[in-house]
RNA sequence: GGGCCAUUAGCUCAGUUGGCUAGAGCGCAGGUAUCACACACCUGAGGUCACAGGUUCGAGCCCUGUAUGGCCCACCA
């Protein structure tokens, strides 16, 4: 393999070669048995819906930085990649494609089998899954690809079924009728998080509901106001609605109990127009705001979340008689799953909801019951998947009971066992989880983990209903005792009324039991699980759970989770819950579900006996391990927005494919730039432009590209110096000031990077690399080294320092720009294998691959060099400054005399005379503690010294220059005097600060005085 | 309505427990084909730190309020 560096940096060539080498040599492969403390990250699995964009790229880049850094630092490191099957999202795109390309629905092609929808989605998965993996590879991700998981693969499926079984057996899963968000296009329920609001122009219809028996035997005979005047009782109640068709499902009208206009009517009835049903007038002080509108609200429990809550409030508590005044109300579903009015809608049955609305408004108008219609803008929830309006819909769904699972997950964040970076994001986690709302986990989809429960309709009399699981088992006499150990059973009464089912959950790996059950009339639930159910298990399922594997033992809990803030609740919180549930925490007092218990005693968890209290003694690691948390740290990466501040998305067309950026700028440039943007501020603005080839990219990445080019050129230069050079033993006593300085600066950069990475400040790390390498190393050290390398007496030591600092820089920067550093490393190894400065810059050496080299340690600082060198920089800049101001020809040296403050300073200047002369293009004529100003010279101050520069006379420029400086000094002196005149400052500020101010004042006054001479 | 965040140079952003004349990149102005690099080098201009109060010897930073923008949650029938 040729290692010499071509003149121009070509990212594409460099990247392809380096990545192939890492793959060929299995540099990413991890082994749990290898030595070193475990360090593990599981990737947030991208949705297989489509291709990755820059949001994924920043997330992956930051993970790779951590992975590579820890791998170099000697940890036994693994990064587990994978992809999410993304249930509803993926099914939706494939169904859409099916519709567009073949004009078919999923019902036309069927679920399973050849040409079925599931097969088609797998084909999609193959295509996009591969594309995603390739994108990650182009980014340079050092994932252990042999461990790539898919949330729907066998390994994940097994974990899903075990978890479901465990939850089912523990009574944490139940089936119930719930009002869900129904997507009538996809015919599935979707979660709240998959809904977006859209403003829709519609109307507010005011409808009259005639009151029955208005003056009849109600409890209140008259409606009285505070003044005792009698209001006439109206004959009808006016309700306002944006959805008149739902009145077909009204089962009450509600008023406020303290509303004098209406409280007399409580207990009476209204005659529902069109259908003629009699429905009660009820009091509900939660639903009704008496100050709003007419004070009357129609109640449609089956089609409105608030109304459903009313229905729930009026349900009798089990075992308790109904309370007077809060009698239960009816629940009438008026919709079919595809959004048409059902048989409960009488004459409107069969109409689509919009048609029904139109017809109902017409009929109401005809009957004179439509009081008014006014324009209205409503926020209507739409399905993020099908982009159609969602319908609140009553259906049978599976739920996870959250309270017992959420509590421990809250506690580990409260007590700091799990830490968020930045910390404030923990609040969102705590707030959401604190609500402990039950988690609806069933989806009426075909793409996903099928719910592993087989259902039997209970045909016997209710009185004979088995009261415990033992008796339920009697209903399955065909199962042996042994087989009985692999099932769990529940009696289910969804909605409290109607049919009763017996549900049997079977542990995975028992197909013979499944078929036995099916032969005996059991039917597997057709629904699949919410996609987050499988992602929730990601950290332990990918490591082999439910088996007790070496991987789990080595790498669980994982070290850190890096993700975007939008899924803190959906994903992070659920991983913590299921992780603790499966890996450590045993809920002691969960609320058992109906018919819970029984089943198997199989132990899923390799940590069977966690301490009962979370505030365990011991290290965070010990506690975390015992509790089974999935990770210790959660680092939130910023969201990437486009130039207008809008979120990137495919549908908006403002998304950027990282591969496009890699093609225009290079992967290292992309990574470096993204890292600099990973600040603690929430969002990153990324102006997007389209280049000539139609690629979406951004000038922002010039930053990273320029840096890489700089690194390439500087390395090429340094290495070219070693090609014909014979190394000499390191001899620190012959180092120059610049040598000491650059090594010390390097060590500072390492220390800064370590500290930054520990708290996930990738921007600080990137900046430390940038400032050190470009500003210190290239701008100053390399320039200082040039003359030294030409001097045979000094070349040897200079080469030692130059080579070793380059070596250290490559190691320091490898995690952020891996391709280019690796490539340069190979050449450096070849040309200059010996690189080590004992005590100053260690751990160097010619490890064949940089990816496996040692992460730099912080060597000794040189305070003296770090103090003196900047003063020389100041002097050089001051001279350059004058040269520029006076427009001196760039090649023409100027004569400079330096009046240095004291013998030591004089000495330092003389020692570094060459540095000053070359970098400032000048000749030092005289350097002493009291140099007389040469005639016709310009006087400037720098680093406490006075410089006299000859041969640049330009009276006009000089006048301007002096005037400007005088102004600055006068202003500064005024500030300093004011500060020193402040008695409080003298009394209370630290003495060294006061002294500093005095020194500063003296210096400024002295300079001003000389300027005036 | 509740909560979180932001507001610093023309633009995009840093600024750590309050303490030197508030920084970077891009852009801008002037200069430079110098043998690593014009994707570069040298120099410079540019800021009332959103606004109003307060605490303090001292505030970009802490407190209170206001304005503007963004996000999350709950949402009026």
């Amino acid at each position: 393999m040729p290692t010499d560096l071509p003149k121009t940096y070509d990212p594409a060539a460099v990247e392809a070669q380096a990545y192939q080498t890492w793959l060929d040599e299995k540099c990413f492969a991890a082994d749990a048995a290898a030595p070193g403390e475990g360090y593990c990250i599981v990737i947030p699995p991208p949705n297989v819906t489509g291709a990755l964009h820059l949001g994924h790229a920043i997330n992956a880049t930051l993970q790779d930085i951590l992975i590579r850094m820890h791998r170099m630092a000697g940890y036994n490191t693994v990064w587990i990649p994978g992809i999410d099957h993304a249930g509803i999202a993926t099914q939706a795109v494939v169904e859409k494609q099916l519709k567009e390309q073949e004009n078919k629905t999923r019902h036309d092609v069927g679920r399973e089998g050849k040409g079925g929808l599931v097969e088609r989605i797998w084909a999609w998965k193959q295509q996009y899954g591969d594309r995603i993996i390739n994108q990650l590879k182009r980014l340079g991700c050092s994932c252990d690809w042999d461990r790539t998981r898919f949330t729907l693969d066998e390994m994940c499926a097994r974990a899903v079924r075990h978890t479901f079984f465990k939850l089912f057996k523990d009574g944490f899963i139940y089936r119930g009728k719930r009002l869900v968000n129904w997507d009538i296009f996809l015919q599935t329920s979707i979660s709240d998080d998959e809904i977006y609001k859209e403003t829709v122009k519609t109307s507010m219809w005011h409808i009259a509901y005639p009151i029955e028996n208005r003056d009849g035997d109600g409890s209140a005979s008259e409606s009285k106001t505070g003044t005792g005047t009698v209001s006439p009782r109206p004959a009808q109640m006016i309700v306002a609605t944006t959805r008149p068709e739902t009145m077909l499902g009204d089962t009450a009208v509600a008023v406020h109990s303290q509303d004098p206009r209406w409280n007399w009517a409580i207990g009476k009835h209204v005659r529902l127009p069109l259908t003629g049903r009699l429905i009660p007038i009820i009091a509900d002080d939660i639903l009704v705001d008496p100050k709003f509108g007419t004070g009357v609200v129609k109640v449609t429990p089956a089609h409105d979340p608030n109304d459903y809550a009313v229905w729930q409030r009026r349900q009798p508590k089990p075992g308790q008689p109904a309370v007077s005044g809060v009698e239960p109300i009816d629940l009438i579903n008026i919709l079919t799953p595809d959004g048409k009015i059902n048989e409960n809608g009488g004459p409107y049955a069969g109409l689509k909801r919009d048609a029904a609305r139109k017809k109902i408004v017409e009929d109401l108008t005809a009957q004179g019951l439509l009081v008014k219609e006014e324009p209205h803008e409503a926020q209507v929830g739409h399905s993020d998947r099908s982009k159609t309006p969602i319908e609140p819909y009553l259906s049978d769904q599976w739920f996870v009971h959250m309270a017992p699972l959420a509590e421990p997950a809250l506690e580990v964040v409260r007590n700091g066992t799990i830490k968020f970076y930045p910390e404030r994001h923990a609040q969102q986690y705590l707030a959401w989880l604190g609500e402990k709302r039950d988690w609806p986990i069933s989806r009426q989809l075909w793409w996903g983990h099928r719910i592993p429960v087989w259902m039997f309709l209970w045909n016997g009399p209710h009185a004979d209903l088995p009261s415990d699981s033992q008796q339920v088992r009697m209903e399955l006499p065909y199962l042996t005792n042994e087989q009985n150990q692999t099932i769990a059973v529940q009696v289910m009464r969804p909605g409290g009324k109607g049919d009763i089912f017996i549900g049997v959950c079977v542990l995975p790996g028992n197909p013979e039991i499944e078929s036995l059950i099916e032969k005996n009339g059991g039917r597997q639930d057709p629904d699949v699980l919410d996609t987050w159910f499988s992602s929730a298990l990601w950290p332990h399922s990918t490591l082999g759970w439910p088996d007790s594997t070496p991987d789990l033992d080595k790498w669980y809990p994982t070290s850190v989770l890096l993700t975007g803030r939008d899924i803190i609740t959906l994903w992070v919180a659920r991983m913590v819950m299921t992780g603790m549930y499966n890996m450590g925490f045993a809920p002691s007092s969960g609320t058992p579900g109906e018919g819970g218990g029984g089943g198997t005693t199989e132990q899923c968890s390799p940590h069977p006996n966690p301490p009962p209290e979370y505030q365990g003694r011991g290290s965070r690691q010990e506690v975390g391990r015992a509790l089974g948390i999935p990770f210790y740290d959660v680092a939130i990466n910023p969201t990437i927005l486009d130039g207008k501040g809008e979120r990137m998305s495919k549908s908006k067309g403002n998304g950027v494919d990282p591969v496009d950026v890699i093609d225009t700028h290079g992967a290292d440039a992309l990574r470096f730039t993204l890292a600099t943007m990973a600040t603690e501020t929430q969002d990153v603005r990324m102006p997007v432009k389209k280049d000539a080839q139609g690629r979406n990219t951004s000038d922002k990445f010039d930053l990273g590209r320029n840096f890489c080019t700089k690194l390439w050129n500087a390395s090429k230069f340094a290495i070219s110096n070693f090609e014909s050079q014979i190394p000499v033993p390191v001899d620190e006593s012959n180092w120059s000031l610049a040598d000491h300085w650059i090594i010390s600066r390097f060590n500072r950069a390492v220390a800064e990077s370590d500290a930054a990475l520990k708290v996930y400040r990738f921007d600080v790390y990137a900046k430390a690399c940038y400032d050190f390498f470009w500003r210190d190393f290239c701008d100053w050290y390399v320039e200082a080294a040039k003359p030294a390398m030409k001097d045979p007496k000094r070349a040897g030591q200079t080469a030692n320092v130059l080579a070793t600092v380059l070596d250290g820089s490559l190691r320091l920067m490898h995690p952020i720009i891996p391709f280019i550093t690796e490539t340069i490393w190979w050449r450096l190894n070849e040309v200059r294998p010996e690189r080590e400065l004992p005590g100053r810059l260690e751990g160097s050496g010619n490890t064949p691959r940089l990816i496996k080299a040692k992460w730099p340690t912080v060597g000794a600082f040189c305070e003296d060099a770090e103090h003196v060198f900047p003063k020389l920089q100041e002097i050089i800049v001051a001279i350059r400054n004058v040269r520029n101001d006076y427009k001196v020809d760039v090649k023409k040296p100027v004569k400079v005399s330096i009046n240095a403050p004291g013998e030591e300073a004089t000495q330092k200047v003389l020692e570094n005379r060459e540095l000053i002369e070359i970098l400032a293009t000048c000749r030092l004529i005289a350097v002493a503690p009291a140099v007389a100003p040469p005639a016709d010279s310009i006087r400037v101050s720098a680093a406490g010294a006075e410089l006299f520069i000859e041969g640049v006379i330009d009276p006009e420029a000089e006048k301007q220059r002096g005037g400007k400086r005088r102004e600055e000094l006068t202003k500064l002196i005024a500030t300093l005097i004011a500060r020193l005149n402040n008695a409080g400052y003298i009394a209370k500020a630290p003495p060294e600060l006061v002294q500093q101010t005095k020194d500063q004042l003296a210096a400024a006054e002295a300079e001003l005085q000389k300027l005036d001479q």
Side-chain angles (χ1 to χ4, degrees), chain A residues 391-662:
Chain A
E391 199 62 53
Y393 184 71
L394 201 63
S395 70
D396 290 333
Q397 300 292 336
W398 294 91
F399 291 87
V400 174
H401 188 49
M402 287 280 277
L405 298 170
E407 192 45 54
L410 284 163
E411 185 55 28
V412 288
V413 170
R414 284 196 209 107
N415 70 22
T417 309
I418 294 177
K419 287 198 175 84
F420 278 77
Y421 296 84
E423 221 174 326
R424 65 184 130 89
H425 290 298
Q427 291 176 49
Q428 200 190 334
Y429 173 101
L430 292 172
W432 184 83
L433 209 46
E435 289 182 27
K436 299 175 188 171
R437 280 201 252 175
D438 286 354
W439 175 16
I441 49 168
S442 46
R443 295 296 129 94
Q444 290 65 48
L445 292 171
W446 293 353
W447 177 242
H449 294 278
R450 187 101 175 247
I451 289 175
V453 176
W454 280 259
M455 311 279 279
F456 294 91
L457 187 63
W458 175 255
N459 293 316
H462 283 201
D464 294 348
L465 203 62
S467 58
D468 62 38
S469 59
Q470 213 43 50
Q471 283 186 31
V472 172
R473 280 160 202 286
M474 307 294 275
E475 302 297 319
L476 312 168
Y478 44 85
L479 294 185
T480 65
N481 274 346
E482 200 186 330
Q483 287 172 329
N484 248 318
Q485 297 303 302
T486 64
I487 63 159
V489 294
Q490 267 190 43
V491 175
M492 285 168 293
R493 311 170 185 80
K497 268 189 187 176
D499 296 336
I500 292 175
F501 290 91
I502 289 167
V504 182
C505 184
V506 184
L507 262 179
N510 297 291
E512 72 289 352
I513 298 180
E514 292 171 13
S515 52
L516 253 179
I517 291 173
E518 281 176 9
K519 254 182 234 155
N520 286 277
R523 221 184 105 253
Q524 187 176 6
D525 192 295
D527 289 0
V528 300
L529 289 165
D530 178 10
T531 198
W532 295 108
F533 193 93
S534 50
S535 350
L537 312 177
W538 193 241
H540 56 287
S541 68
T542 50
L543 289 169
W545 188 89
D547 295 330
S548 184
T549 63
D551 285 5
L552 269 177
D553 199 49
K554 183 76 195 177
W555 289 305
Y556 194 92
T558 68
S559 307
V560 55
L561 178 82
L562 266 112
T563 189
R565 66 177 187 282
D566 48 334
I567 49 179
I568 289 172
T569 52
L570 295 177
W571 190 44
V572 179
R574 286 167 181 165
M575 277 193 286
V576 177
M577 283 194 313
T578 61
M580 294 180 76
Y581 178 64
N582 282 338
M583 293 295 296
F585 175 73
S588 49
S589 59
T591 309
E594 295 142 311
T600 168
T601 52
E602 187 197 78
Q603 185 50 259
C604 295
S605 165
H607 302 292
N609 297 308
E613 66 285 314
Y614 324 113
Q615 305 274 11
R617 289 170 216 281
S619 69
R620 192 171 161 215
Q621 268 69 23
E622 285 161 356
V623 173
R625 214 177 150 80
L627 293 177
I629 57 171
F631 30 70
Y632 296 101
D633 290 345
V634 179
I636 302 299
N637 57 246
T639 304
I640 301 204
L641 308 174
D642 70 6
K644 292 180 210 125
E646 286 184 45
R647 217 187 159 84
M648 284 191 178
S649 76
K650 279 192 289 286
S651 54
K652 278 186 205 150
N654 62 353
V656 174
D657 183 342
V659 171
D660 279 353
V661 180
I662 292 170

Side-chain angles (χ1 to χ4, degrees), chain A residues 168-406:
Chain A
F168 189 90
K169 181 176 64 107
D170 286 345
F172 294 157
I173 283 188
Y174 66 93
R175 187 165 164 85
K177 274 209 191 301
R178 281 295 172 99
L179 202 59
V180 295
N181 306 303
W182 190 260
D183 182 324
I184 58 173
F185 179 78
L186 294 170
Q187 298 194 25
T188 179
S189 66
I190 59 174
S191 67
D192 292 347
D193 320 293
E194 292 162 326
I195 289 175
Y196 66 96
K197 300 282 182 175
E198 205 164 88
T199 305
V200 172
K201 282 206 172 102
T202 173
S203 296
M204 179 73 82
W205 288 275
H206 297 254
I207 304 166
Y209 285 14
I211 302 172
E212 285 287 309
N213 200 12
R214 164 168 52 124
D215 299 314
D217 53 359
S219 53
S221 61
E222 290 288 312
S223 165
K224 290 193 168 69
T225 64
T227 54
T229 52
V230 178
S231 305
R233 286 177 170 182
Q236 54 191 21
M237 299 177 110
I238 310 293
V239 299
T241 181
T242 53
R243 307 204 42 203
E245 71 280 11
T246 63
M247 66 185 288
L248 299 171
D250 283 1
T251 58
V253 289
V255 299
H256 195 276
S257 64
Q258 302 306 310
D259 185 347
R261 289 173 298 173
W262 296 115
N263 55 7
W264 56 267
I266 296 166
K268 294 180 181 299
H269 291 78
V270 293
R271 179 74 63 183
L272 192 61
L274 307 182
T275 59
R277 271 191 292 120
L278 217 49
I279 58 174
I281 299 166
I282 61 171
D284 193 300
D285 294 358
I286 296 173
L287 180 71
V288 182
D289 176 0
K291 291 190 282 293
F292 188 89
T294 59
V296 183
V297 185
K298 67 194 273 294
V299 181
T300 321
H303 298 280
D304 181 280
N306 292 308
D307 297 355
Y308 184 71
V310 172
W311 177 85
Q312 276 184 312
R313 282 195 284 276
R314 301 179 80 89
Q315 283 298 107
K317 300 272 184 306
Q320 288 171 22
V323 183
S324 169
V326 286
E327 287 82 7
I329 57 173
D330 287 337
L331 187 69
I332 300 176
N333 175 27
I334 59 159
L335 284 182
T336 59
D338 58 352
K340 291 180 183 138
I341 304 294
N342 68 11
E343 67 282 3
N344 290 329
Y348 302 95
L351 292 176
K352 284 197 170 175
R353 66 183 161 186
D354 292 343
R357 178 180 304 176
K358 193 160 167 263
K359 183 92 177 7
I360 282 171
V361 170
E362 283 168 11
D363 292 352
L364 287 171
T365 310
Q367 295 181 24
L369 291 170
L370 188 70
V371 179
K372 67 173 166 180
E373 175 180 344
E374 54 191 12
H376 183 75
E377 281 194 357
Q379 296 284 307
V380 178
H382 281 64
S383 165
D384 196 34
R385 304 305 170 196
S386 68
K387 314 293 176 198
T388 55
I390 62 112
E391 199 62 53
Y393 184 71
L394 201 63
S395 70
D396 290 333
Q397 300 292 336
W398 294 91
F399 291 87
V400 174
H401 188 49
M402 287 280 277
L405 298 170

Side-chain angles (χ1 to χ4, degrees), chain A residues 800 803-804 806-807 825 828-830 832-837 841 843-847:
Chain A
N800 281 339
T804 313
L806 177 60
D807 167 305
W825 182 259
L828 184 62
N829 275 347
E830 199 167 81
R832 180 82 187 194
E834 301 84 12
R835 309 184 297 268
E836 186 89 20
L837 304 174
L841 207 170
S844 314
N846 58 352
T847 324

Side-chain angles (χ1 to χ4, degrees), chain A residues 102 121 229 329 364 496 523 536 589 628 662 680 783 856 882 949 997:
Chain A
E102 303 178 36
I121 305 176
T229 52
I329 57 173
L364 287 171
R523 221 184 105 253
S589 59
I662 292 170
E680 286 202 323
E783 293 307 319
V882 170
I949 299 154
T997 310

Side-chain angles (χ1 to χ4, degrees), chain A residues 142-159:
Chain A
S142 59
C143 303
D144 187 349
W145 298 110
D146 293 340
R147 294 172 191 269
T148 305
R149 297 260 73 85
F150 182 53
T151 55
L152 209 52
D153 67 18
E154 281 168 34
M155 197 161 159
C156 292
R158 197 156 153 259

